[in-house]
Amino acid sequence: MPDYGKLRDMISHRITFDYDTGARVVGYVAACKPATGPVQVVVMSRTDILDANGRVLEHHEAFSLVPNLLVAFRLTEGPSG
């Protein structure tokens, strides 16, 4: 399991999160939440979301990211088809 606590040492640094699809999130770490204990959210500034070819899909002046490993996703509302 990654040591997410190290993200607190990267506050004010520009970092990149890489994903299995080739997508990336690049920006400056502004804060980690909660303030103590396991990091569950990284607050970022001047953040770009890039596709696998390096094209900017979105730009955000402020962006919250859950840096933890995704273990599942499921439909919680909508057509069940």
Side-chain angles (χ1 to χ4, degrees):
M1 169 133 329
D3 180 5
Y4 301 112
K6 289 182 179 182
L7 291 167
R8 285 195 173 88
D9 297 334
M10 298 179 187
I11 291 176
S12 78
H13 291 77
R14 184 174 165 93
I15 66 169
T16 300
F17 292 92
D18 293 311
Y19 294 88
D20 60 346
T21 61
R24 290 187 171 141
V25 175
V26 182
Y28 291 87
V29 177
C32 293
K33 295 182 180 183
T36 60
V39 174
Q40 296 178 33
V41 175
V42 175
V43 179
M44 301 177 72
S45 64
R46 295 182 286 172
T47 304
D48 290 323
I49 300 173
L50 307 163
D51 69 10
N53 295 312
R55 292 182 297 240
V56 176
L57 299 173
E58 296 182 11
H59 174 79
H60 301 272
E61 284 302 314
F63 187 77
S64 293
L65 173 77
V66 176
N68 314 114
L69 292 173
L70 179 68
V71 295
F73 63 91
R74 61 185 171 275
L75 180 67
T76 54
E77 187 175 313
S80 58

Coordinates of all heavy atoms in Angstrom, one line a residue:
M1 N 0.8 -1.2 0.0 CA 0.0 0.0 0.0 C 0.9 1.2 0.0 O 1.8 1.3 0.8 CB -0.9 0.0 1.2 CG -1.6 1.3 1.4 SD -3.4 1.3 1.8 CE -4.1 0.0 1.0
P2 N 0.6 2.2 -0.9 CA 1.4 3.4 -0.9 C 1.3 4.2 0.4 O 0.4 4.1 1.2 CB 0.7 4.3 -2.0 CG 0.0 3.3 -2.8 CD -0.4 2.2 -1.9
D3 N 2.4 5.0 0.7 CA 2.4 5.8 1.9 C 1.9 7.2 1.5 O 2.6 8.1 1.1 CB 3.9 5.9 2.4 CG 4.0 6.7 3.7 OD1 3.0 7.2 4.2 OD2 5.1 6.9 4.1
Y4 N 0.6 7.4 1.7 CA 0.0 8.6 1.3 C 0.4 9.8 2.2 O 0.3 10.9 1.9 CB -1.6 8.5 1.4 CG -2.1 7.4 0.4 CD1 -2.6 6.3 0.9 CD2 -2.0 7.6 -1.0 CE1 -3.1 5.3 0.0 CE2 -2.4 6.6 -1.8 CZ -3.0 5.5 -1.3 OH -3.4 4.5 -2.2
G5 N 0.9 9.4 3.4 CA 1.4 10.5 4.3 C 2.5 11.3 3.7 O 2.7 12.5 4.1
K6 N 3.3 10.7 2.8 CA 4.3 11.5 2.1 C 3.8 12.7 1.4 O 4.6 13.6 1.1 CB 5.1 10.5 1.2 CG 6.0 9.5 1.9 CD 6.7 8.7 0.9 CE 7.6 7.7 1.7 NZ 8.4 6.8 0.8
L7 N 2.5 12.6 1.0 CA 2.0 13.8 0.3 C 2.0 15.1 1.1 O 2.1 16.1 0.5 CB 0.5 13.5 -0.1 CG 0.4 12.4 -1.2 CD1 -1.1 11.9 -1.3 CD2 0.9 12.9 -2.5
R8 N 2.0 14.9 2.4 CA 2.1 16.1 3.3 C 3.5 16.8 3.1 O 3.6 18.0 3.2 CB 1.9 15.8 4.7 CG 0.5 15.5 5.1 CD 0.2 15.5 6.6 NE -1.2 15.4 6.8 CZ -1.9 14.2 6.9 NH1 -1.2 13.1 6.8 NH2 -3.2 14.2 7.1
D9 N 4.5 16.0 2.8 CA 5.8 16.6 2.5 C 5.9 17.3 1.2 O 6.9 18.0 0.9 CB 6.9 15.5 2.6 CG 7.0 14.9 3.9 OD1 6.6 15.5 4.9 OD2 7.4 13.7 4.0
M10 N 4.9 17.2 0.3 CA 4.9 17.7 -1.0 C 4.0 19.0 -1.1 O 3.8 19.5 -2.2 CB 4.4 16.7 -2.0 CG 5.3 15.5 -2.1 SD 4.7 14.3 -3.2 CE 5.9 12.9 -2.9
I11 N 3.5 19.5 0.0 CA 2.7 20.7 0.0 C 3.6 21.8 -0.7 O 4.7 22.0 -0.3 CB 2.2 21.1 1.4 CG1 1.2 20.1 1.8 CG2 1.6 22.5 1.4 CD1 0.6 20.2 3.2
S12 N 3.0 22.6 -1.6 CA 3.5 23.6 -2.4 C 4.4 23.1 -3.5 O 5.0 23.9 -4.3 CB 4.3 24.7 -1.6 OG 5.5 24.2 -1.2
H13 N 4.5 21.8 -3.7 CA 5.2 21.2 -4.8 C 4.3 20.9 -6.0 O 3.1 20.5 -5.7 CB 6.0 20.0 -4.4 CG 7.1 20.3 -3.5 ND1 7.0 20.6 -2.2 CD2 8.5 20.3 -3.7 CE1 8.1 20.8 -1.6 NE2 9.1 20.7 -2.5
R14 N 4.8 20.9 -7.2 CA 4.0 20.4 -8.4 C 4.2 18.9 -8.5 O 5.4 18.5 -8.5 CB 4.5 21.2 -9.6 CG 3.7 20.8 -10.9 CD 4.2 21.7 -12.0 NE 3.7 21.2 -13.3 CZ 2.6 21.6 -13.9 NH1 1.8 22.5 -13.3 NH2 2.3 21.1 -15.1
I15 N 3.2 18.2 -8.5 CA 3.3 16.7 -8.6 C 2.3 16.2 -9.7 O 1.4 16.9 -10.1 CB 3.0 16.0 -7.2 CG1 1.6 16.2 -6.8 CG2 4.0 16.5 -6.2 CD1 1.2 15.3 -5.6
T16 N 2.6 14.9 -10.1 CA 1.8 14.3 -11.1 C 1.3 13.0 -10.5 O 2.0 12.2 -9.9 CB 2.7 13.9 -12.3 OG1 3.2 15.2 -12.9 CG2 1.9 13.2 -13.4
F17 N 0.0 12.7 -10.7 CA -0.6 11.5 -10.4 C -0.9 10.8 -11.8 O -1.5 11.3 -12.7 CB -2.0 11.7 -9.7 CG -1.9 12.2 -8.4 CD1 -1.9 13.6 -8.1 CD2 -1.7 11.4 -7.3 CE1 -1.9 14.1 -6.9 CE2 -1.6 11.9 -6.0 CZ -1.7 13.3 -5.8
D18 N -0.3 9.6 -11.9 CA -0.4 8.8 -13.2 C -1.4 7.7 -13.0 O -1.5 7.0 -11.9 CB 0.9 8.1 -13.6 CG 1.9 9.2 -14.0 OD1 1.6 10.0 -14.8 OD2 3.1 9.1 -13.4
Y19 N -2.2 7.4 -14.0 CA -3.3 6.4 -13.9 C -3.0 5.3 -15.0 O -2.3 5.5 -15.9 CB -4.7 7.0 -14.1 CG -5.0 7.9 -13.0 CD1 -4.6 9.2 -13.0 CD2 -5.6 7.4 -11.8 CE1 -4.9 10.1 -11.9 CE2 -5.9 8.3 -10.8 CZ -5.5 9.6 -10.8 OH -5.8 10.4 -9.7
D20 N -3.7 4.1 -14.7 CA -3.4 3.0 -15.6 C -3.8 3.2 -17.0 O -3.3 2.5 -17.9 CB -4.1 1.7 -15.0 CG -5.6 1.8 -14.9 OD1 -6.1 3.0 -14.9 OD2 -6.3 0.8 -14.7
T21 N -4.7 4.1 -17.3 CA -5.2 4.4 -18.7 C -4.2 5.3 -19.4 O -4.4 5.6 -20.6 CB -6.5 5.1 -18.6 OG1 -6.4 6.3 -17.9 CG2 -7.6 4.2 -18.0
G22 N -3.2 5.9 -18.7 CA -2.3 6.9 -19.3 C -2.7 8.3 -18.9 O -2.0 9.2 -19.2
A23 N -3.9 8.5 -18.4 CA -4.3 9.8 -17.9 C -3.4 10.3 -16.8 O -2.8 9.5 -16.1 CB -5.8 9.8 -17.5
R24 N -3.4 11.6 -16.6 CA -2.6 12.2 -15.5 C -3.3 13.4 -14.9 O -4.1 14.1 -15.6 CB -1.3 12.7 -16.1 CG -0.3 11.7 -16.5 CD 1.0 12.3 -16.9 NE 1.9 11.1 -17.0 CZ 2.9 11.1 -18.0 NH1 3.0 12.1 -18.8 NH2 3.6 10.1 -18.1
V25 N -3.0 13.6 -13.7 CA -3.5 14.8 -13.0 C -2.2 15.5 -12.5 O -1.4 14.9 -11.8 CB -4.4 14.5 -11.8 CG1 -4.8 15.8 -11.1 CG2 -5.7 13.8 -12.3
V26 N -2.0 16.8 -12.9 CA -0.8 17.5 -12.6 C -1.2 18.8 -12.0 O -2.0 19.6 -12.5 CB 0.1 17.8 -13.9 CG1 1.4 18.5 -13.6 CG2 0.3 16.5 -14.7
G27 N -0.6 19.1 -10.8 CA -0.9 20.4 -10.2 C 0.0 20.6 -8.9 O 0.8 19.7 -8.6
Y28 N -0.3 21.7 -8.2 CA 0.4 22.0 -7.0 C -0.4 21.5 -5.8 O -1.6 21.8 -5.7 CB 0.7 23.5 -6.9 CG 1.7 24.0 -7.9 CD1 1.2 24.3 -9.2 CD2 3.0 24.0 -7.6 CE1 2.2 24.8 -10.2 CE2 3.9 24.4 -8.6 CZ 3.5 24.8 -9.9 OH 4.4 25.2 -10.8
V29 N 0.3 20.9 -4.9 CA -0.4 20.4 -3.6 C -0.5 21.6 -2.7 O 0.5 22.2 -2.3 CB 0.4 19.3 -2.9 CG1 -0.3 18.9 -1.6 CG2 0.5 18.1 -3.9
A30 N -1.8 21.9 -2.4 CA -2.0 23.1 -1.5 C -2.3 22.6 0.0 O -1.9 23.3 0.9 CB -3.3 23.9 -2.0
A31 N -2.9 21.4 0.1 CA -3.2 20.9 1.5 C -3.5 19.5 1.4 O -3.9 18.9 0.3 CB -4.3 21.7 2.1
C32 N -3.5 18.8 2.5 CA -3.9 17.4 2.7 C -5.0 17.4 3.7 O -4.9 18.1 4.7 CB -2.8 16.5 3.0 SG -1.5 16.3 1.7
K33 N -6.0 16.6 3.5 CA -7.1 16.5 4.5 C -7.3 15.0 4.9 O -7.2 14.1 4.0 CB -8.4 17.0 3.9 CG -8.4 18.5 3.6 CD -9.7 18.9 3.1 CE -9.7 20.4 2.8 NZ -11.0 20.9 2.3
P34 N -7.6 14.7 6.1 CA -7.6 15.7 7.2 C -6.2 16.1 7.6 O -5.3 15.6 7.1 CB -8.3 14.8 8.4 CG -8.0 13.4 8.0 CD -7.9 13.4 6.5
A35 N -6.2 17.1 8.5 CA -4.9 17.7 8.8 C -3.9 16.7 9.5 O -2.7 16.8 9.4 CB -5.1 18.9 9.8
T36 N -4.5 15.7 10.2 CA -3.6 14.7 10.8 C -4.3 13.3 10.5 O -5.4 13.2 10.1 CB -3.6 14.8 12.3 OG1 -4.9 14.7 12.9 CG2 -2.9 16.1 12.7
G37 N -3.5 12.3 10.6 CA -4.0 10.9 10.3 C -3.8 10.6 8.8 O -3.1 11.3 8.1
P38 N -4.4 9.5 8.3 CA -4.3 9.1 6.9 C -4.8 10.1 6.0 O -5.8 10.7 6.2 CB -5.1 7.8 6.9 CG -5.2 7.3 8.3 CD -5.2 8.5 9.1
V39 N -4.0 10.4 4.9 CA -4.4 11.4 3.9 C -5.6 10.8 3.1 O -5.4 9.7 2.5 CB -3.3 11.8 3.0 CG1 -3.7 12.7 1.8 CG2 -2.2 12.5 3.8
Q40 N -6.7 11.5 3.0 CA -7.8 11.0 2.2 C -8.2 11.9 1.1 O -8.8 11.5 0.1 CB -9.1 10.9 3.2 CG -8.8 9.8 4.2 CD -10.0 9.7 5.2 OE1 -11.1 9.9 4.8 NE2 -9.7 9.4 6.4
V41 N -7.8 13.2 1.2 CA -8.0 14.2 0.1 C -6.8 15.1 -0.1 O -6.2 15.5 0.9 CB -9.2 15.0 0.4 CG1 -9.4 16.1 -0.7 CG2 -10.5 14.2 0.5
V42 N -6.4 15.3 -1.3 CA -5.4 16.3 -1.6 C -6.0 17.5 -2.3 O -6.7 17.3 -3.3 CB -4.3 15.7 -2.5 CG1 -3.3 16.7 -2.9 CG2 -3.6 14.5 -1.9
V43 N -5.8 18.7 -1.7 CA -6.3 19.9 -2.3 C -5.2 20.4 -3.2 O -4.1 20.6 -2.7 CB -6.7 20.9 -1.2 CG1 -7.3 22.2 -1.9 CG2 -7.8 20.3 -0.3
M44 N -5.5 20.7 -4.5 CA -4.5 21.1 -5.4 C -4.9 22.4 -6.1 O -6.1 22.8 -6.1 CB -4.4 20.0 -6.5 CG -4.0 18.7 -6.0 SD -3.9 17.4 -7.2 CE -2.4 17.9 -8.1
S45 N -3.9 23.1 -6.6 CA -4.2 24.4 -7.3 C -3.5 24.3 -8.7 O -2.6 23.4 -8.9 CB -3.6 25.6 -6.5 OG -2.2 25.5 -6.4
R46 N -4.0 25.1 -9.6 CA -3.5 25.2 -11.0 C -3.3 23.7 -11.5 O -2.2 23.3 -11.9 CB -2.2 26.0 -11.0 CG -2.4 27.4 -10.7 CD -1.2 28.2 -10.8 NE -0.3 27.9 -9.6 CZ 0.9 28.4 -9.5 NH1 1.5 29.1 -10.4 NH2 1.6 28.0 -8.4
T47 N -4.4 23.0 -11.6 CA -4.4 21.6 -11.9 C -4.8 21.3 -13.3 O -5.8 21.9 -13.7 CB -5.3 20.8 -10.9 OG1 -4.8 21.1 -9.6 CG2 -5.2 19.3 -11.1
D48 N -4.1 20.5 -14.0 CA -4.5 20.0 -15.4 C -4.8 18.5 -15.3 O -4.1 17.8 -14.7 CB -3.4 20.3 -16.4 CG -3.2 21.7 -16.7 OD1 -4.2 22.5 -16.7 OD2 -2.1 22.1 -16.9
I49 N -5.9 18.1 -16.0 CA -6.2 16.7 -16.2 C -5.9 16.4 -17.6 O -6.4 17.1 -18.6 CB -7.7 16.4 -15.9 CG1 -8.0 16.8 -14.4 CG2 -8.0 15.0 -16.2 CD1 -9.5 16.7 -14.1
L50 N -5.0 15.5 -17.8 CA -4.4 15.2 -19.2 C -4.9 13.8 -19.6 O -5.0 12.9 -18.8 CB -2.9 15.2 -19.2 CG -2.3 16.5 -18.6 CD1 -0.8 16.3 -18.3 CD2 -2.4 17.6 -19.6
D51 N -5.1 13.7 -20.9 CA -5.4 12.3 -21.5 C -4.1 11.6 -21.7 O -3.0 12.1 -21.5 CB -6.3 12.4 -22.7 CG -5.6 13.0 -23.9 OD1 -4.4 13.2 -23.9 OD2 -6.3 13.3 -24.9
A52 N -4.3 10.4 -22.2 CA -3.1 9.5 -22.4 C -2.1 10.1 -23.5 O -1.0 9.7 -23.5 CB -3.6 8.1 -22.9
N53 N -2.6 11.0 -24.3 CA -1.7 11.6 -25.3 C -1.1 13.0 -24.8 O -0.5 13.7 -25.6 CB -2.5 11.8 -26.6 CG -2.9 10.5 -27.2 OD1 -2.1 9.6 -27.3 ND2 -4.2 10.4 -27.6
G54 N -1.4 13.3 -23.6 CA -0.9 14.6 -23.0 C -1.7 15.8 -23.3 O -1.3 16.9 -23.0
R55 N -2.9 15.6 -23.9 CA -3.7 16.8 -24.2 C -4.5 17.2 -22.9 O -5.0 16.3 -22.2 CB -4.8 16.4 -25.3 CG -4.1 16.3 -26.6 CD -5.2 16.0 -27.7 NE -5.8 14.7 -27.4 CZ -5.9 13.7 -28.2 NH1 -5.3 13.7 -29.3 NH2 -6.5 12.6 -27.8
V56 N -4.6 18.4 -22.7 CA -5.3 18.9 -21.5 C -6.8 18.8 -21.7 O -7.4 19.3 -22.7 CB -5.0 20.4 -21.2 CG1 -5.9 20.9 -20.0 CG2 -3.5 20.6 -20.9
L57 N -7.5 18.0 -20.9 CA -8.9 17.8 -20.9 C -9.6 18.8 -20.1 O -10.7 19.3 -20.5 CB -9.3 16.4 -20.5 CG -8.7 15.2 -21.2 CD1 -9.1 13.9 -20.5 CD2 -9.3 15.2 -22.7
E58 N -9.1 19.2 -19.0 CA -9.6 20.2 -18.1 C -8.5 20.9 -17.4 O -7.5 20.3 -17.1 CB -10.5 19.5 -17.0 CG -11.7 18.8 -17.5 CD -12.6 18.2 -16.4 OE1 -12.4 18.5 -15.2 OE2 -13.5 17.5 -16.8
H59 N -8.8 22.2 -17.0 CA -7.9 22.9 -16.1 C -8.7 23.5 -15.0 O -9.9 23.9 -15.2 CB -7.3 24.1 -16.9 CG -6.5 25.0 -16.0 ND1 -5.2 24.7 -15.6 CD2 -6.8 26.1 -15.4 CE1 -4.7 25.6 -14.8 NE2 -5.7 26.5 -14.6
H60 N -8.2 23.4 -13.7 CA -8.9 23.8 -12.6 C -7.9 24.7 -11.7 O -6.8 24.3 -11.5 CB -9.4 22.7 -11.7 CG -10.3 21.7 -12.4 ND1 -11.6 21.9 -12.4 CD2 -10.0 20.6 -13.2 CE1 -12.2 21.0 -13.1 NE2 -11.3 20.2 -13.6
E61 N -8.4 25.9 -11.3 CA -7.6 26.7 -10.4 C -7.6 26.0 -9.0 O -6.6 26.1 -8.3 CB -8.2 28.1 -10.3 CG -7.8 28.9 -11.5 CD -6.3 29.0 -11.8 OE1 -5.6 29.3 -10.8 OE2 -5.9 28.9 -12.9
A62 N -8.7 25.3 -8.6 CA -8.7 24.6 -7.4 C -9.4 23.2 -7.7 O -10.3 23.2 -8.4 CB -9.6 25.4 -6.3
F63 N -8.8 22.2 -7.1 CA -9.2 20.8 -7.4 C -9.0 19.9 -6.2 O -7.9 20.0 -5.6 CB -8.4 20.3 -8.6 CG -8.9 19.0 -9.1 CD1 -10.0 18.9 -9.9 CD2 -8.2 17.8 -8.9 CE1 -10.4 17.7 -10.4 CE2 -8.6 16.6 -9.4 CZ -9.7 16.5 -10.2
S64 N -10.0 19.1 -5.8 CA -9.8 18.2 -4.7 C -9.7 16.8 -5.3 O -10.5 16.4 -6.2 CB -11.0 18.2 -3.8 OG -11.0 19.5 -3.1
L65 N -8.7 16.0 -4.9 CA -8.5 14.7 -5.5 C -8.3 13.7 -4.3 O -7.7 13.9 -3.3 CB -7.1 14.7 -6.2 CG -6.6 13.4 -6.7 CD1 -7.3 13.0 -8.0 CD2 -5.1 13.6 -7.1
V66 N -9.0 12.5 -4.5 CA -8.8 11.4 -3.6 C -7.6 10.6 -4.2 O -7.8 10.0 -5.2 CB -10.1 10.6 -3.5 CG1 -9.8 9.3 -2.6 CG2 -11.2 11.4 -2.9
P67 N -6.5 10.6 -3.5 CA -5.3 10.0 -4.1 C -5.2 8.5 -3.8 O -4.3 7.8 -4.3 CB -4.1 10.7 -3.4 CG -4.7 11.0 -2.0 CD -6.1 11.3 -2.3
N68 N -6.1 7.9 -3.1 CA -6.1 6.5 -2.7 C -6.4 5.6 -3.8 O -7.1 6.0 -4.8 CB -7.0 6.3 -1.5 CG -6.8 7.4 -0.4 OD1 -7.7 8.1 -0.2 ND2 -5.6 7.5 0.2
L69 N -6.0 4.3 -3.7 CA -6.4 3.3 -4.7 C -7.9 3.0 -4.7 O -8.5 2.9 -3.7 CB -5.6 2.0 -4.3 CG -4.1 2.0 -4.5 CD1 -3.6 0.7 -4.0 CD2 -3.7 2.2 -5.9
L70 N -8.4 3.0 -5.9 CA -9.8 2.7 -6.1 C -10.0 1.2 -6.0 O -9.3 0.5 -6.6 CB -10.3 3.2 -7.5 CG -11.7 2.9 -7.9 CD1 -12.7 3.8 -7.0 CD2 -11.9 3.3 -9.3
V71 N -10.9 0.8 -5.1 CA -11.1 -0.6 -5.0 C -12.4 -1.1 -5.6 O -12.6 -2.3 -5.9 CB -11.1 -1.1 -3.5 CG1 -9.8 -0.8 -2.9 CG2 -12.2 -0.3 -2.7
A72 N -13.4 -0.2 -5.9 CA -14.6 -0.6 -6.6 C -15.4 0.6 -7.0 O -15.1 1.7 -6.5 CB -15.5 -1.5 -5.6
F73 N -16.3 0.5 -7.9 CA -17.3 1.5 -8.2 C -18.6 0.8 -8.5 O -18.6 -0.4 -8.9 CB -16.9 2.5 -9.3 CG -16.7 1.8 -10.6 CD1 -17.8 1.8 -11.5 CD2 -15.5 1.4 -11.0 CE1 -17.6 1.2 -12.8 CE2 -15.3 0.8 -12.2 CZ -16.3 0.7 -13.1
R74 N -19.7 1.5 -8.2 CA -21.0 0.8 -8.4 C -22.1 1.9 -8.6 O -21.9 3.0 -8.2 CB -21.4 0.0 -7.1 CG -21.5 0.8 -5.9 CD -21.8 -0.1 -4.7 NE -21.7 0.6 -3.4 CZ -20.6 0.9 -2.7 NH1 -19.5 0.4 -3.2 NH2 -20.6 1.5 -1.6
L75 N -23.1 1.5 -9.3 CA -24.3 2.4 -9.5 C -25.0 2.6 -8.2 O -25.4 1.6 -7.6 CB -25.2 1.7 -10.6 CG -26.4 2.5 -11.0 CD1 -26.0 3.8 -11.7 CD2 -27.3 1.7 -11.9
T76 N -25.3 3.8 -7.8 CA -26.0 4.1 -6.6 C -27.4 4.7 -6.9 O -28.2 4.8 -6.0 CB -25.2 5.0 -5.7 OG1 -24.8 6.2 -6.4 CG2 -24.0 4.3 -5.1
E77 N -27.5 5.2 -8.2 CA -28.8 5.8 -8.6 C -28.9 5.8 -10.1 O -27.9 6.0 -10.7 CB -28.9 7.2 -8.0 CG -30.3 7.8 -8.3 CD -30.4 9.2 -7.6 OE1 -30.0 9.3 -6.4 OE2 -30.9 10.1 -8.2
G78 N -30.1 5.6 -10.6 CA -30.2 5.6 -12.1 C -30.8 4.3 -12.6 O -31.2 3.4 -11.8
P79 N -31.0 4.2 -13.9 CA -31.6 3.0 -14.5 C -30.8 1.8 -14.2 O -29.6 1.8 -14.2 CB -31.6 3.3 -16.0 CG -31.0 4.6 -16.2 CD -30.5 5.2 -14.9
S80 N -31.5 0.7 -13.9 CA -30.8 -0.5 -13.6 C -31.1 -1.5 -14.8 O -32.1 -2.2 -14.8 CB -31.3 -1.1 -12.3 OG -32.7 -1.3 -12.4
G81 N -30.3 -1.4 -15.7 CA -30.6 -2.0 -16.9 C -30.4 -3.2 -17.6 O -30.5 -3.8 -18.4

